Amino acid sequence: MIGTLNKTVRMVAILNLGYFGIEFAVAIWIGSVSLFADSIDFLEDASVNLLIMVALGWTIRNRARLGMALAGVLLVPALATLWTAWEKFNSPIPPAPVPLTLTAAGAILVNLSCALMLARYRHHSGSLTHAAFLSARNDVLANVAIIAAGLVTAFVWNSAWPDIVIGLAIAVMNADAAREVFTAARREFAESQIRS
């Protein structure tokens, strides 16, 4: 089981790192808060999965400690998004809706593939794989919202606000995932203390 999990998280890390580069470049090009938030999230997901590969052979207690640290890592995209949204408030130019929508559609394919690969392992190795699964699942939802922002910008309201609002919603979702992972890791750590 650990061998196949190792291969899975390696593939997920590679996919996330690759799409981070694509999405980050498009976000900078069109000035999108939501794509910026999602691209940083891709980088965070790649990091989480690489850490999982390293920690698979560790004790439950050490994996729980790493899980608590990963909760902090999950907060990084939220903080980066808040900064980017603040910058966008000062220059509220709407992002180009077509590249926004197409890039988010590509992100859905990557994140859905990652979520499906990780779904069978989400209860294996405790909070670590749970963190990876939650990240991939949340990212699919975020990408659907980014597509909606692109469509609203293109056809309903040519404004920066749909992009900003979705970017801030992604930040909230990442913060909630961090809370879930920290809670699970703390519970695992407490259980490991009782066993020893």
Side-chain angles (χ1 to χ4, degrees), residues 19-55:
Y19 210 76
F20 156 73
I22 293 168
E23 200 170 46
F24 185 78
V26 175
I28 298 301
W29 173 46
I30 66 172
S32 169
V33 174
S34 60
L35 281 185
F36 176 82
D38 200 51
S39 72
I40 298 300
D41 194 59
F42 269 110
L43 183 60
E44 170 261 318
D45 289 348
S47 302
V48 166
N49 282 283
L50 289 172
L51 287 171
I52 290 170
M53 282 175 51
V54 170

Side-chain angles (χ1 to χ4, degrees), residues 47-68:
S47 302
V48 166
N49 282 283
L50 289 172
L51 287 171
I52 290 170
M53 282 175 51
V54 170
L56 281 176
W58 292 3
T59 64
I60 292 173
R61 182 179 298 172
N62 287 335
R63 285 196 315 255
R65 285 180 180 140
L66 181 60
M68 287 186 269

Side-chain angles (χ1 to χ4, degrees), residues 5 9 12 44-45 47-71 73-74 118 121-136 177 180-186 188:
L5 175 57
V9 293
V12 169
E44 170 261 318
D45 289 348
S47 302
V48 166
N49 282 283
L50 289 172
L51 287 171
I52 290 170
M53 282 175 51
V54 170
L56 281 176
W58 292 3
T59 64
I60 292 173
R61 182 179 298 172
N62 287 335
R63 285 196 315 255
R65 285 180 180 140
L66 181 60
M68 287 186 269
L70 285 179
V73 171
L74 288 170
L118 292 166
Y121 302 107
R122 69 182 178 268
H123 300 297
H124 181 76
S125 296
S127 60
L128 296 179
T129 50
H130 190 63
F133 172 74
L134 278 178
S135 290
E180 285 186 50
V181 171
F182 184 81
T183 301
R186 192 174 57 186
E188 284 174 13

Side-chain angles (χ1 to χ4, degrees), residues 85-110:
W86 177 254
E87 293 290 313
K88 193 68 169 181
F89 288 140
N90 297 322
S91 178
I93 300 166
V98 172
L100 177 69
T101 305
L102 292 177
T103 306
I108 282 180
L109 294 176
V110 172

